[in-house]
Amino acid sequence: MTAPPTTASRADDRPVLLVLFGATGDLARRMLFPALFELWERGLLPDRFEVIGSGRHSPGTDQDFRRDVVEAVAASADGADRAALERFAERVRFATASAEDGAGLAAEVEQRRAALGEGCRTFLYLSVPPGQTDGMLRMTEREGLARDATLMVEKPVGEDVDTARALNALLATLAPEERVLRVDHFLAKESVRALLALRTANPWLAGSWDARHIASVLIDVPEKIDIEGRAAFMERTGTFRDMIPTHLCQALAAVAMEPPSSDDPEAERAARLRLFEQTRPFDPARTVFGQYEGYREEDGVAADSTTETFAAVEVRIDNPRWQGVPFLLRTGKALDSADHRLTVRFRPTDPKDSKDPKDPKDSTDRTDSTGRTADAEQGGAEAGTELVVGLSATADVRFGVRLSRPGPRPGLVDGVLGLEPLPGADASLGAYAQVFHHALSGDHRVFTTAAEVERLWELAAPVLADPPPAVRYPRGSSGPEVPGVADPASDREG
């Protein structure tokens, strides 16, 4: 397969050594190695680039590990050129390490840095379970691995406010903030980047992006798959911790934050933080948890487990732009759809239905959590239109419009303007390829800051302290009923 074109460029050709902790894990096999191969195949990695995979248990010889990498990438990158894959894998080797013993890895890193030559940059990527992050970081400090290295830490960063603060404090002792990259790949999705540009770079839409014009926002990230053998992770973390204060809140930021003051990466990160500071802590009474039927029979799951595999949260933002607008964040496993999308529901255009969001009487009770007004339920010309943006690999955009009804009968009919796929989609990079590309380029806009992470855990704290019971729901359904929220299945096409 020939690599598709790309408009991205190689920003820095200094040699790079990437040390990947958790290199035999699920994320590395499905996402990280395929992303690195994507960059390598497009010529976006330095000529002198190597990967040292690491984990507690050796997969065998370096050649054995390379075969594993080739098979993993081939399974994820449909049509990948086998010969190119094998050439890529020559840059990969393995060294065992644990929180207790990293001496062998440290020796291997020192040797490979010397071989790569002067100016070699080292990146340490921690793709390990949350409970292992602290110990692995302390090992990198003890063995000197963190010295002058850039630390990349996969989400979730911590499991609540206290553990996030403790982990951020530890990271601060190992490296300055500019060399700490907290990874949430939703920030790097082409669709999320396109959404931010769509609403800020088009004056006709930017002028309508507020509570006066928008009734509600739905951010829906359902999955058809179940836990797929990841019982230990799910039992410890749950869907709420795994998805809501991370992926879905980052999508929320792309929808709701004020336009950054400049194109500087730090301006975008500051805008996200300001939004989260204006967001109310999540209300357990406006949160729904669910658990799919059969979850307790999964290997490794307790017979009386109360862990949620579904979470829906209504979010409110206290600023002039969004006062009174409900944002629904919804995600879950073993559902009837894997259609990731954002739905923005606009208010009716009839002047008598246009309310002032600055007036408390007009801003709080206009909508339920779906954003449907009483007028919208009645349909016809008084219902609001919708903007739907796909949140999968590349964005597709559909905008509801009203046109005059053809024929002799006067009136309006609903239509859809669509843009699918976006222009240049054949040159897009996968989310994790973007993560690595931004890291190597020194552009940190797609990485979260310590303050962002801690604020998001503060927002989640009330639900973590008083979680709602997990309602059972059938596999392949739309999930539990969410009070005040229309069945998402009713909004899907067809």
Side-chain angles (χ1 to χ4, degrees):
M1 180 182 71
T2 303
T6 181
T7 56
S9 60
R10 188 188 299 173
D12 191 332
D13 204 38
R14 287 178 294 169
V16 166
L17 178 64
L18 172 66
V19 182
L20 177 54
F21 295 95
T24 59
D26 181 69
L27 182 66
R29 293 176 59 84
R30 291 189 303 107
M31 298 290 185
L32 303 184
F33 279 116
L36 291 169
F37 175 68
E38 182 180 356
L39 292 176
W40 178 82
E41 193 176 28
R42 296 197 189 190
L44 295 175
L45 292 178
D47 292 332
R48 290 174 292 167
F49 173 85
E50 291 188 10
V51 180
I52 299 177
S54 188
R56 295 180 63 90
H57 305 291
S58 171
T61 65
D62 282 344
Q63 201 57 39
D64 292 330
F65 182 55
R66 289 168 184 148
R67 279 195 294 270
D68 291 344
V69 169
V70 167
E71 295 302 325
V73 176
S76 296
D78 187 36
D81 183 279
R82 188 80 178 197
L85 261 175
E86 290 175 353
R87 291 195 301 273
F88 165 76
E90 291 171 3
R91 298 168 177 265
V92 176
R93 62 191 68 239
F94 192 90
T96 57
S98 66
E100 296 76 31
D101 182 10
L105 173 62
E108 185 74 14
V109 168
E110 184 177 358
Q111 179 184 1
R112 298 319 305 165
R113 281 177 56 90
L116 285 166
E118 186 177 356
C120 179
R121 297 182 293 158
T122 304
F123 291 79
L124 308 182
Y125 195 119
L126 277 79
S127 173
V128 297
Q132 297 179 21
T133 305
D134 184 279
M136 295 304 291
L137 285 172
R138 293 183 187 280
M139 181 275 290
T140 66
E141 178 183 33
R142 190 170 62 247
E143 299 294 345
L145 288 165
R147 190 181 310 117
D148 299 326
T150 296
L151 307 178
M152 302 180 69
V153 181
E154 182 65 41
K155 72 90 186 167
V157 178
E159 298 174 285
D160 53 29
V161 174
D162 291 341
T163 55
R165 287 174 179 161
L167 186 54
N168 282 329
L170 174 59
L171 288 165
T173 68
L174 302 179
E177 182 67 12
E178 60 267 22
R179 293 209 326 267
V180 176
L181 307 181
R182 298 166 188 82
V183 178
D184 187 326
H185 78 276
F186 256 56
L187 276 171
K189 276 176 165 279
E190 297 271 14
S191 53
V192 174
R193 310 303 306 165
L195 168 61
L196 180 59
L198 176 70
R199 51 156 291 220
T200 59
N202 294 283
W204 60 270
L205 190 56
S208 302
W209 207 257
D210 57 30
R212 182 181 291 274
H213 300 92
I214 292 175
S216 75
V217 177
L218 169 66
I219 299 172
D220 198 19
V221 184
E223 298 181 50
K224 287 186 175 181
I225 61 172
D226 58 22
I227 63 171
E228 295 190 320
R230 301 178 69 211
F233 175 81
M234 182 57 69
E235 282 289 276
R236 178 179 180 122
T237 306
T239 291
F240 177 81
R241 270 192 174 96
D242 183 35
M243 297 291 290
I244 298 294
T246 55
H247 293 336
L248 274 74
C249 277
Q250 295 304 338
L252 171 68
V255 177
M257 72 182 184
E258 293 299 309
S261 59
S262 72
D263 191 46
D264 184 88
E266 295 309 310
E268 184 173 325
R269 285 161 35 124
R272 289 200 304 263
L273 177 59
R274 281 195 299 274
L275 176 78
F276 297 142
E277 290 172 340
Q278 295 166 341
T279 302
R280 295 182 200 170
F282 306 149
D283 182 355
R286 302 298 296 168
T287 301
V288 172
F289 281 1
Q291 183 187 94
Y292 65 79
E293 293 175 357
Y295 173 74
R296 294 176 180 176
E297 284 72 58
E298 301 273 14
D299 289 342
V301 173
D304 59 351
S305 174
T306 59
T307 300
E308 79 285 355
T309 61
F310 171 98
V313 182
E314 183 185 287
V315 177
R316 297 281 179 160
I317 298 169
D318 289 325
N319 65 21
R321 182 185 291 271
W322 296 117
Q323 195 72 44
V325 176
F327 293 77
L328 178 68
L329 314 186
R330 177 186 177 277
T331 185
K333 294 189 177 296
L335 297 173
D336 60 349
S337 171
D339 182 15
H340 298 183
R341 61 178 183 165
L342 160 82
T343 303
V344 178
R345 289 184 172 131
F346 288 88
R347 296 189 186 279
T349 56
D350 190 322
K352 68 181 174 60
D353 292 316
S354 297
K355 302 297 181 179
D356 185 352
K358 296 178 182 178
D359 185 343
K361 296 190 299 295
D362 291 339
S363 65
T364 55
D365 296 321
R366 290 286 302 154
T367 65
D368 62 18
S369 297
T370 69
R372 294 207 181 269
T373 63
D375 295 328
E377 293 300 326
Q378 296 169 10
E382 303 206 345
T385 58
E386 294 185 346
L387 170 68
V388 179
V389 180
L391 296 177
S392 296
T394 56
D396 59 272
V397 179
R398 302 190 300 277
F399 196 80
V401 295
R402 292 214 161 78
L403 304 168
S404 61
R405 179 186 288 118
R409 208 156 51 95
L412 299 176
V413 294
D414 291 335
V416 176
L417 291 176
L419 191 62
E420 180 183 5
L422 289 178
D426 60 341
S428 65
L429 291 172
Y432 274 102
Q434 287 279 22
V435 165
F436 284 120
H437 185 64
H438 278 75
L440 297 182
S441 302
D443 183 336
H444 295 172
R445 75 185 70 229
V446 302
F447 301 101
T448 58
T449 65
E452 276 183 80
V453 167
E454 292 173 20
R455 177 55 183 165
L456 287 171
W457 283 121
E458 288 173 356
L459 298 181
V463 174
L464 294 177
D466 184 22
V471 180
R472 304 292 292 279
Y473 62 93
R475 286 175 178 265
S477 70
S478 60
E481 180 181 352
V482 181
V485 179
D487 181 357
S490 68
D491 295 329
R492 295 183 189 123
E493 292 185 77

